[in-house]
Amino acid sequence: MKINFKLISSFFFSLFVVFLTATITHAAVTLPSTVRIGLYYKGAPPEGHSQTSCFDISAPKGLDLGYYASSKFGVLYKYKYSNKVTIRKDGFFVLNDSTFTEYSPSGKIPSGTKMGPYHVQIGDKYTSYTNARAQVPVLKEKGIAAYPVYNDGWRVWTGNYLNQNDTLYNMNSVIAPKVPSLLCTIVNSDPTRIVIALSGNTLFMYDKSSGAFQIHPNTANSPLMFKLNNQHFRGNLEVKRLTNSDMTLVNVIKPQLYLYGVVPSEMLSNSKLEALKAQAICAGTYTYNCLKKHSSLGFDLCSTVDCQMYLGYDNEEASTNRAVDETIGKIITYKGSAAEINYYNSSGGKTEDVRNVWGNSCPYLISVDDPYEAPGTEWVQERTPAYIKGRLSDWGYNIGDVTAVTATKKAPSGRVTEVVVKGTKGSKTFTIERCRTFFGLKSQWYTISSPDKTYFRANGGKVENRDFKGMTVVTSKGTQILTGVNNVVTLINGANTKKSVSLTPGAYIFTGRGWGHGVGMSQEGAMGFARHGYTCTQILKHYFPGTEIQ
């Protein structure tokens, strides 16, 4: 979903969670009992968290660590304390003061205790963690630092060796002579293995080939939440080792609790309740429509603006939680099926027909007036020929030096639907949404001012034609040197007409309004409707004409 969001600061707010039903059903729409939200994953956008090789997790009353398979969670280890547990992939690390740092064997190796992904197994399978763990002090007395490993049953391993030769030497010369009655075998590196450590020491390893490793806050915690590095989340955490990836972290959570963390990330929490409820219903409908969007990575939706911004427990507010509670299970539908829902920051006064943004047609994603938009949605952005040439190169186009940028077509709303960029070696045409995204603009609703000089009357009455940057002028705030906001200044002539001028010679000025793609619900407009007494249903049916709220 292509959205712009207002990120707002948050404070910690604890509250008891209302009882949630297993499924929420309306007409042909059924939300699952849980949704899977990618928190850390390969290919995360700049505002997200990339895959990770190591992280810390804790909960005030402890954690249950185990595996999830066939819709059931099996506890392997109950950790009853508030101290953080470190989870890392079984790879190459150095350890310093309980802190793990990953390194590449072919690169520069940091100082500290070096650890690798090769191990030695001592003995055979054990029936339980307790039995395997009981062997650890026995082996320690023999000078062997051992730990339990879950690998379709419990086993006992030792060592974190750097290569096979090192492992073979230690197994034959150091370990085997101390345990002559037990069979010792080499354990080679495996890209799916996970290490669970406490204060730098291995608590146990997870090496099960099926199912998934999960971490749950134990039931003594209220609310049920965990702390992942420096963020708090409700629900549970799944740790995945995907091919050619570090660890992928997935928040497995009930839809209602997920929306608690979404709605205040989308809309100001001090907005009128009916606007917040409209946002909650939009977010819930979008969630339903985007289940399995990132299934190739093992989750449904991500936590960034590529889907919906989700900041977890720390961002919750009482007002937005109430909006979610009062609307949970409500879905925007069209002819009995979930409607395609889009929303964004500000329309600028009129929403846009989807065909003028993404090219498809939809009977309820059409242009409508947006009468209650807050003032001040106008914006001015500068783009130099060098910037545009660089963007063309990034997109794989070479038309030489930029000589002209012209908006050649517009929608009835005023949004630009075609822009032609001319250069010394040709031209390139951009249409519909790319009229915004190529130039990195806030919306498609804009006009373009070609670079030129501005005439002004200097001291002594002489009319001059020159660039403005660096000039000393008299403004409403006194005498100052022109620098401008975003390198742009606004001039007013004798007829009280305003003109935006770039301080960069040869730059193009884009003067526009609104913020976002313009399709569907404007968040600023929804807040305005709510201030004027409209209900969430009235708001949504205005932005999505012909739909129903079920």
Side-chain angles (χ1 to χ4, degrees), residues 7 160 168 235 273 329-330 342 345 414 423 443 495:
L7 299 180
N160 293 281
L168 182 63
L273 179 62
K330 289 189 175 182
N342 300 282
N345 185 287
S443 78

Side-chain angles (χ1 to χ4, degrees), residues 21 56 71 90 107 113 128-129 159 248 281 286 302 333 362-363 454 478 550:
T21 57
D56 294 326
S71 302
D90 188 22
T113 303
S128 67
Y129 170 82
T248 296
I281 295 171
Y286 180 81
C302 69
T333 64
C362 184
T454 301
Q550 298 184 332

Side-chain angles (χ1 to χ4, degrees), residues 369-443:
D369 290 333
D370 206 359
Y372 300 120
E373 275 271 332
T377 64
E378 297 81 9
W379 49 266
V380 178
Q381 292 180 271
E382 172 200 274
R383 295 293 180 258
T384 65
Y387 170 89
I388 298 171
K389 182 179 180 180
R391 289 284 287 173
L392 286 164
S393 177
D394 292 342
W395 285 40
Y397 306 121
N398 179 14
I399 63 171
D401 294 331
V402 174
T403 59
V405 180
T406 308
T408 51
K409 291 182 182 179
K410 291 188 176 183
S413 67
R415 288 179 175 84
V416 176
T417 57
E418 183 180 275
V419 172
V420 176
V421 181
K422 293 183 178 180
T424 55
K425 297 180 180 180
S427 65
K428 176 61 185 174
T429 300
F430 296 98
T431 61
I432 55 179
E433 185 192 25
R434 288 195 168 191
C435 296
R436 170 175 68 101
T437 58
F438 171 76
F439 296 101
L441 303 174
K442 291 183 176 181
S443 78

Side-chain angles (χ1 to χ4, degrees), residues 83-156:
N83 307 64
K84 68 182 182 181
V85 175
T86 300
I87 313 294
R88 66 175 178 86
K89 70 177 187 180
D90 188 22
F92 293 95
F93 287 82
V94 295
L95 176 64
N96 283 295
D97 298 326
S98 301
T99 299
F100 294 97
T101 303
E102 187 180 20
Y103 72 91
S104 171
S106 60
K108 183 178 180 181
I109 301 177
S111 60
T113 303
K114 291 184 281 295
M115 311 178 79
Y118 295 86
H119 318 281
V120 172
Q121 179 173 304
I122 303 173
D124 203 350
K125 186 184 293 186
Y126 292 85
T127 57
S128 67
Y129 170 82
T130 301
N131 291 339
R133 181 66 188 173
Q135 296 303 309
V136 171
V138 175
L139 294 170
K140 185 176 181 181
E141 288 183 0
K142 299 177 182 292
I144 301 173
Y147 43 81
V149 176
Y150 187 73
N151 181 355
D152 295 319
W154 286 101
R155 305 174 192 274
V156 174

